[in-house]
Amino acid sequence: MITEILASIAVIVLILQHAARIPAALTELLNACQPLVHAAYALAATLDTADADPRDPIPPTPDQHQAPTGPPDASSS
């Protein structure tokens, strides 16, 4: 019984000691990720402007993908 109480107190003390480091570590992680977020934003902006290039051909509409329909064959009747 006493051993369990002492073990619980030791666990709580260890958790509280390391919990004090969590905000600083989280701040450091977020600051380290900022260049990645900025690079992803720049890439997305570059891709958006590349898609809007007027020299690019206009993608075909779904109607243009369909095979042309001609007169029905006489042999199919």
Side-chain angles (χ1 to χ4, degrees):
M1 178 79 169
I2 293 177
T3 306
E4 292 174 1
I5 294 172
L6 290 176
S8 299
I9 292 172
V11 167
I12 291 171
V13 168
L14 288 174
I15 289 173
L16 291 177
Q17 284 177 346
H18 292 290
R21 298 180 188 173
I22 290 174
L26 187 59
T27 302
E28 187 176 337
L29 176 67
L30 291 176
N31 286 334
C33 289
Q34 272 186 333
L36 177 66
V37 171
H38 289 295
Y41 179 75
L43 177 63
T46 302
L47 292 176
D48 285 344
T49 57
D51 289 342
D53 189 6
R55 294 173 292 169
D56 288 340
I58 298 173
T61 62
D63 295 334
Q64 291 173 336
H65 287 291
Q66 295 176 352
T69 56
D73 292 337
S75 61
S76 63
S77 309

